[in-house]
Amino acid sequence: MPLEWRDQLSIGVPSIDADHKQLIAIINEFEAGSSAGAERLQSVARKLFQYAASHFEREERLQVLNGYGRHQAHQAEHNALLDSLEAFIQSHFIDRTKPIDTASAAEMAAFLKHWLVDHLIHSDLKMKGLVTER
Ligand SMILES: [Fe+2]
């Protein structure tokens, strides 16, 4: 099932909410392409990595501008997320430790959904009311 944006996910900063919606769209694109073959999936996973890296920078910049107290812990979490996504791309598309079929692609999509949604709910929402557009 595709991820769906819900108003409860809003942190009240339009540019950050727009980025989060875009990340959800890329993960849904990955899931929708689960039978499109390894090359296609790898390119969507790389697109997700690029977009996440630039989004994390934007989010961290706003945290600094707002004097957000959890900035360092949040940045460490972003770095860990990028590391885990990189490891994911490496094992699934470079080392090819398992075959890429519809079932494994569905597992990958589940991993990516958790990867994003856990962070949105457990960390990003803590910024609500404390970080504003600057
Ligand atoms: Fe974040």
Side-chain angles (χ1 to χ4, degrees), residues 24-126:
I24 286 174
I26 298 171
I27 291 174
N28 286 339
E29 184 185 346
F30 184 96
E31 188 174 45
S34 61
S35 56
E39 218 169 285
R40 173 86 193 114
L41 289 175
Q42 179 173 189
S43 105
V44 180
R46 287 188 188 281
K47 177 162 88 171
L48 177 63
F49 186 94
Q50 294 299 330
Y51 198 86
S54 65
H55 159 64
F56 290 164
E57 271 181 37
R58 287 190 284 280
E59 198 177 90
E60 289 163 19
R61 193 172 342 110
L62 266 192
Q63 290 180 348
V64 171
L65 289 172
N66 281 277
Y68 183 59
R70 291 191 75 254
H71 164 69
Q72 283 197 331
H74 202 116
Q75 186 172 36
E77 219 178 287
H78 284 167
N79 291 338
L81 283 168
L82 289 178
D83 285 350
S84 74
L85 187 51
E86 198 175 21
F88 172 87
I89 290 169
Q90 179 75 28
S91 63
H92 287 82
F93 300 112
I94 316 283
D95 300 340
R96 302 258 182 128
T97 47
K98 27 183 206 180
I100 296 167
D101 51 26
T102 309
S104 66
E107 267 175 51
M108 290 183 221
F111 165 85
L112 295 174
K113 287 179 186 178
H114 273 284
W115 177 87
L116 179 67
V117 172
D118 286 356
H119 178 74
L120 285 185
I121 291 174
H122 296 118
S123 295
D124 286 347
L125 279 179
K126 293 191 173 119

